Amino acid sequence: MSIYRFGKLVMAVGISALLAGCEKNALSSSEFQYITPQEAQVKVIFTSSYQANPGFHIKINDARVSGVLNFTSGNPTPFPGGGLQTGGGSTSDYLIVPARENKITIARPFVGTANDSVLLATSTNTFEAGKKYSLYFTDTAAKTTSLLVVDSLTAPDSGFVRYKFINLMPDLPGVDLYLGTLKVAENIPFKGVSPAFTIPTNNASTTWAIRSAGSATNLHTYASAASVATSNQRVMTVIARGYSTISAAADTRKRAVSLIYNQ
């Protein structure tokens, strides 16, 4: 399919953290290869939702690295890997890329080919050796924009889950994130990234909510035990996506929350 490889960076601290966790909470991942000192890792999350929900593929340096993807059941598909309220699987996989400048493009393919039909988005970024990145695309058409985020390489202590929050809603200047009644991120601007925070797996609530900054009204809620209670030592990114004015469940542009598996 491409010259790019799936990978996971394995470190002694990560191995000891896995051993400390309960077997039923073991993290799942695909078969991996070790990365070299000249390589980095990247995951691509295309949240630029279109009402028509077109199929798209991903290329790195003009080489196709994915099959045809789309918003599965109205949710974006991280590639590679997956998350909650997303398409994809239950793994935290990344692609291994050269530690240098790389161009990543999103395009609609000609049917049955690997050739581009309509370019939807492109981003050129420099990746440093040994680092793990997520590249997010948001907004649509001429306003499409990207955000490159460095992801954590370290799992939290047993009994905890580590998160960060990203606001990918173009029509809101700031978003608050709640877990139950606990405000875990405040007034995060568009394309802003919150400080990391940890939540115990025995937390009283597993319901996430997004609000316009300072508001007492939920724009959207998402409840999932897998986001907290059964995710011992996971590292995840919570994203607010879509447009605040769209709520119809069948519309891929709707306001929503997703969680991306990083580790």
Side-chain angles (χ1 to χ4, degrees):
M1 180 173 69
S2 77
I3 61 173
Y4 295 92
R5 316 191 313 274
F6 290 93
K8 265 190 174 304
L9 180 61
V10 179
M11 302 174 67
V13 65
I15 294 172
S16 62
L18 290 178
L19 292 176
C22 298
E23 183 176 352
K24 65 184 179 68
N25 287 327
L27 308 189
S28 57
S29 64
S30 300
E31 183 178 351
F32 64 85
Q33 296 175 322
Y34 290 98
I35 68 171
T36 72
Q38 292 76 43
E39 294 175 317
Q41 299 178 81
V42 65
K43 182 194 302 287
V44 181
I45 304 97
F46 185 66
T47 73
S48 300
S49 50
Y50 290 78
Q51 190 172 26
N53 194 17
F56 61 89
H57 60 198
I58 300 170
K59 289 185 175 180
I60 299 180
N61 301 322
D62 299 318
R64 193 188 200 198
V65 297
S66 76
V68 178
L69 307 171
N70 58 23
F71 275 64
T72 305
S73 300
N75 298 312
T77 300
F79 186 83
L84 301 170
Q85 201 149 263
T86 71
S90 60
T91 67
S92 56
D93 294 327
Y94 286 70
L95 287 171
I96 295 175
V97 295
R100 57 175 173 80
E101 186 175 87
N102 292 278
K103 180 181 72 172
I104 298 179
T105 55
I106 311 288
R108 301 182 191 178
F110 283 108
V111 177
T113 77
N115 299 322
D116 296 344
S117 172
V118 178
L119 180 67
L120 298 176
T122 185
S123 180
T124 300
N125 302 94
T126 299
F127 298 84
E128 295 183 27
K131 290 189 176 181
K132 181 191 287 187
Y133 298 88
S134 289
L135 179 63
Y136 297 88
F137 290 92
T138 183
D139 218 336
T140 53
K143 294 182 178 180
T144 301
T145 184
S146 64
L147 173 68
L148 186 68
V149 178
V150 178
D151 292 328
S152 173
L153 294 171
T154 306
D157 292 338
S158 184
F160 292 87
V161 190
R162 178 175 292 120
Y163 309 87
K164 60 180 177 289
F165 172 62
I166 301 176
N167 173 18
L168 298 176
M169 302 181 74
D171 61 343
L172 283 183
V175 174
D176 294 339
L177 177 69
Y178 284 78
L179 181 58
T181 59
L182 176 66
K183 185 189 291 186
V184 292
E186 182 174 18
N187 197 19
I188 303 302
F190 176 53
K191 293 174 61 176
V193 183
S194 79
F197 57 96
T198 57
I199 298 293
T201 55
N202 63 356
N203 192 67
S205 177
T206 57
T207 298
W208 300 89
I210 51 173
R211 300 178 183 178
S212 180
S215 173
T217 303
N218 293 336
L219 286 171
H220 176 78
T221 61
Y222 172 64
S224 172
S227 69
V228 182
T230 62
S231 293
N232 186 40
Q233 296 187 287
R234 277 276 197 190
V235 179
M236 290 189 263
T237 299
V238 186
I239 62 171
R241 57 183 175 84
Y243 296 91
S244 64
T245 56
I246 300 176
S247 59
D251 195 326
T252 58
R253 302 169 300 166
K254 65 183 179 295
R255 59 201 188 211
V257 170
S258 294
L259 290 94
I260 312 300
Y261 291 142
N262 302 127
Q263 189 141 308

Short mmCIF file of all heavy atoms in Angstrom, two decimals, residues 3 60 63 75 83 92-93 96 107 144 146 153-154 159 165 175 178 184 189 194 197 201 205 212 221 232 247 255 257:
data_model
loop_
_atom_site.label_atom_id
_atom_site.label_comp_id
_atom_site.label_asym_id
_atom_site.label_seq_id
_atom_site.Cartn_x
_atom_site.Cartn_y
_atom_site.Cartn_z
N ILE A 3 5.14 2.91 1.39
CA ILE A 3 6.44 2.64 2.02
C ILE A 3 6.40 2.96 3.50
O ILE A 3 7.37 2.69 4.21
CB ILE A 3 7.55 3.47 1.34
CG1 ILE A 3 7.26 4.98 1.50
CG2 ILE A 3 7.69 3.10 -0.11
CD1 ILE A 3 8.39 5.86 1.01
N ILE A 60 1.32 10.77 2.14
CA ILE A 60 2.47 11.42 2.76
C ILE A 60 3.57 11.49 1.71
O ILE A 60 3.98 10.47 1.15
CB ILE A 60 2.97 10.64 4.00
CG1 ILE A 60 1.85 10.58 5.06
CG2 ILE A 60 4.22 11.31 4.58
CD1 ILE A 60 2.25 9.84 6.32
N ALA A 63 2.84 9.72 -1.52
CA ALA A 63 2.64 8.26 -1.50
C ALA A 63 1.38 7.96 -0.71
O ALA A 63 1.23 8.41 0.44
CB ALA A 63 3.84 7.56 -0.88
N ASN A 75 -18.87 9.88 12.21
CA ASN A 75 -17.71 10.17 13.05
C ASN A 75 -16.41 10.09 12.26
O ASN A 75 -16.28 9.23 11.38
CB ASN A 75 -17.65 9.19 14.22
CG ASN A 75 -18.86 9.30 15.13
OD1 ASN A 75 -19.26 10.38 15.52
ND2 ASN A 75 -19.46 8.16 15.45
N GLY A 83 -10.43 5.22 18.24
CA GLY A 83 -10.81 5.95 19.43
C GLY A 83 -12.25 5.67 19.77
O GLY A 83 -12.82 4.65 19.38
N SER A 92 -3.95 2.23 19.29
CA SER A 92 -3.34 3.56 19.32
C SER A 92 -2.20 3.66 18.32
O SER A 92 -1.17 4.27 18.59
CB SER A 92 -2.83 3.87 20.73
OG SER A 92 -1.92 2.86 21.16
N ASP A 93 -2.38 3.05 17.17
CA ASP A 93 -1.31 2.98 16.18
C ASP A 93 -0.97 4.33 15.56
O ASP A 93 -1.80 5.24 15.50
CB ASP A 93 -1.69 2.02 15.05
CG ASP A 93 -1.80 0.58 15.52
OD1 ASP A 93 -1.04 0.20 16.42
OD2 ASP A 93 -2.65 -0.16 14.99
N ILE A 96 5.00 5.43 10.95
CA ILE A 96 6.39 5.84 11.09
C ILE A 96 6.79 6.65 9.86
O ILE A 96 6.55 6.24 8.72
CB ILE A 96 7.31 4.62 11.26
CG1 ILE A 96 6.99 3.90 12.57
CG2 ILE A 96 8.77 5.03 11.22
CD1 ILE A 96 7.76 2.62 12.77
N ALA A 107 -7.26 13.93 0.00
CA ALA A 107 -7.90 14.15 -1.30
C ALA A 107 -8.98 13.12 -1.56
O ALA A 107 -8.92 11.99 -1.05
CB ALA A 107 -6.87 14.11 -2.43
N THR A 144 -10.26 25.36 5.38
CA THR A 144 -9.65 24.19 6.00
C THR A 144 -8.27 24.54 6.56
O THR A 144 -7.46 25.18 5.90
CB THR A 144 -9.53 23.04 4.99
OG1 THR A 144 -10.83 22.72 4.51
CG2 THR A 144 -8.92 21.80 5.63
N SER A 146 -5.03 23.16 9.60
CA SER A 146 -4.46 22.00 10.28
C SER A 146 -3.82 22.41 11.59
O SER A 146 -3.50 23.58 11.82
CB SER A 146 -3.44 21.29 9.39
OG SER A 146 -2.33 22.13 9.13
N LEU A 153 4.43 10.28 25.34
CA LEU A 153 5.05 8.96 25.21
C LEU A 153 4.98 8.17 26.51
O LEU A 153 5.46 7.05 26.57
CB LEU A 153 6.52 9.12 24.80
CG LEU A 153 6.78 9.70 23.41
CD1 LEU A 153 8.26 10.00 23.25
CD2 LEU A 153 6.32 8.76 22.32
N THR A 154 4.39 8.75 27.55
CA THR A 154 4.43 8.14 28.87
C THR A 154 3.03 7.84 29.38
O THR A 154 2.17 8.73 29.42
CB THR A 154 5.14 9.07 29.88
OG1 THR A 154 6.42 9.41 29.36
CG2 THR A 154 5.29 8.39 31.22
N GLY A 159 -4.45 2.93 37.57
CA GLY A 159 -5.63 3.50 38.19
C GLY A 159 -5.99 4.87 37.66
O GLY A 159 -6.95 5.48 38.13
N PHE A 165 -7.19 18.12 25.89
CA PHE A 165 -8.39 18.52 25.18
C PHE A 165 -8.04 19.51 24.10
O PHE A 165 -7.24 20.43 24.30
CB PHE A 165 -9.40 19.14 26.16
CG PHE A 165 -10.60 19.77 25.49
CD1 PHE A 165 -11.47 18.99 24.73
CD2 PHE A 165 -10.85 21.13 25.61
CE1 PHE A 165 -12.57 19.56 24.11
CE2 PHE A 165 -11.96 21.71 25.01
CZ PHE A 165 -12.82 20.92 24.25
N VAL A 175 -14.07 26.95 24.33
CA VAL A 175 -14.89 25.81 24.74
C VAL A 175 -14.42 25.32 26.10
O VAL A 175 -13.22 25.23 26.37
CB VAL A 175 -14.80 24.65 23.72
CG1 VAL A 175 -15.53 23.41 24.23
CG2 VAL A 175 -15.37 25.07 22.37
N TYR A 178 -16.22 19.37 30.35
CA TYR A 178 -16.60 18.82 31.65
C TYR A 178 -16.59 17.30 31.59
O TYR A 178 -16.88 16.69 30.55
CB TYR A 178 -18.02 19.26 32.03
CG TYR A 178 -18.13 20.69 32.50
CD1 TYR A 178 -18.12 21.75 31.60
CD2 TYR A 178 -18.24 20.98 33.86
CE1 TYR A 178 -18.24 23.07 32.04
CE2 TYR A 178 -18.36 22.30 34.30
CZ TYR A 178 -18.35 23.33 33.38
OH TYR A 178 -18.46 24.63 33.84
N VAL A 184 -12.79 20.19 33.45
CA VAL A 184 -11.41 19.69 33.30
C VAL A 184 -10.58 20.53 32.33
O VAL A 184 -9.35 20.40 32.30
CB VAL A 184 -11.41 18.21 32.87
CG1 VAL A 184 -11.94 17.31 33.99
CG2 VAL A 184 -12.22 17.99 31.60
N PRO A 189 -9.30 27.92 23.19
CA PRO A 189 -9.64 28.59 21.94
C PRO A 189 -9.64 27.62 20.76
O PRO A 189 -9.15 26.49 20.87
CB PRO A 189 -8.53 29.64 21.79
CG PRO A 189 -7.36 29.03 22.52
CD PRO A 189 -7.96 28.29 23.69
N SER A 194 -5.34 22.02 25.62
CA SER A 194 -5.31 22.21 27.07
C SER A 194 -4.06 21.57 27.66
O SER A 194 -3.44 20.70 27.05
CB SER A 194 -6.55 21.56 27.70
OG SER A 194 -6.39 20.16 27.80
N PHE A 197 -4.30 16.43 31.79
CA PHE A 197 -4.91 16.19 33.09
C PHE A 197 -5.19 14.70 33.24
O PHE A 197 -5.37 13.98 32.25
CB PHE A 197 -6.21 17.00 33.26
CG PHE A 197 -7.26 16.75 32.21
CD1 PHE A 197 -8.29 15.85 32.42
CD2 PHE A 197 -7.23 17.45 31.01
CE1 PHE A 197 -9.27 15.62 31.46
CE2 PHE A 197 -8.21 17.24 30.03
CZ PHE A 197 -9.23 16.32 30.27
N THR A 201 -9.68 6.01 37.29
CA THR A 201 -10.62 5.14 36.59
C THR A 201 -11.88 4.89 37.40
O THR A 201 -12.88 4.43 36.84
CB THR A 201 -9.95 3.79 36.26
OG1 THR A 201 -9.43 3.22 37.47
CG2 THR A 201 -8.82 3.97 35.27
N SER A 205 -18.26 9.86 37.32
CA SER A 205 -18.97 10.05 36.05
C SER A 205 -18.09 9.67 34.87
O SER A 205 -16.87 9.87 34.90
CB SER A 205 -19.42 11.51 35.89
OG SER A 205 -20.04 11.71 34.63
N SER A 212 -19.97 26.18 25.35
CA SER A 212 -19.35 27.44 24.99
C SER A 212 -18.75 28.04 26.26
O SER A 212 -19.35 27.97 27.33
CB SER A 212 -20.40 28.38 24.39
OG SER A 212 -19.80 29.61 24.03
N THR A 221 -23.24 16.05 24.87
CA THR A 221 -22.71 15.13 25.88
C THR A 221 -22.41 13.79 25.24
O THR A 221 -23.06 13.39 24.27
CB THR A 221 -23.70 14.93 27.04
OG1 THR A 221 -24.92 14.37 26.54
CG2 THR A 221 -23.98 16.24 27.76
N ASN A 232 -7.60 1.89 32.03
CA ASN A 232 -6.46 2.03 32.91
C ASN A 232 -5.16 2.27 32.13
O ASN A 232 -4.81 1.52 31.23
CB ASN A 232 -6.31 0.75 33.75
CG ASN A 232 -5.22 0.87 34.79
OD1 ASN A 232 -5.07 1.90 35.42
ND2 ASN A 232 -4.47 -0.21 34.99
N SER A 247 -26.95 20.32 15.10
CA SER A 247 -27.17 19.27 16.09
C SER A 247 -27.81 18.01 15.51
O SER A 247 -27.90 17.00 16.22
CB SER A 247 -28.07 19.80 17.22
OG SER A 247 -29.32 20.24 16.70
N ARG A 255 -22.10 19.19 16.03
CA ARG A 255 -21.24 19.35 17.21
C ARG A 255 -21.14 18.02 17.94
O ARG A 255 -22.13 17.29 18.08
CB ARG A 255 -21.82 20.42 18.13
CG ARG A 255 -23.22 20.12 18.61
CD ARG A 255 -23.92 21.38 19.06
NE ARG A 255 -25.20 21.10 19.70
CZ ARG A 255 -26.25 21.94 19.65
NH1 ARG A 255 -26.14 23.08 18.98
NH2 ARG A 255 -27.37 21.63 20.27
N VAL A 257 -18.27 15.21 20.46
CA VAL A 257 -17.03 14.90 21.18
C VAL A 257 -16.50 13.57 20.69
O VAL A 257 -17.27 12.63 20.46
CB VAL A 257 -17.28 14.84 22.70
CG1 VAL A 257 -16.07 14.28 23.44
CG2 VAL A 257 -17.65 16.20 23.26
#
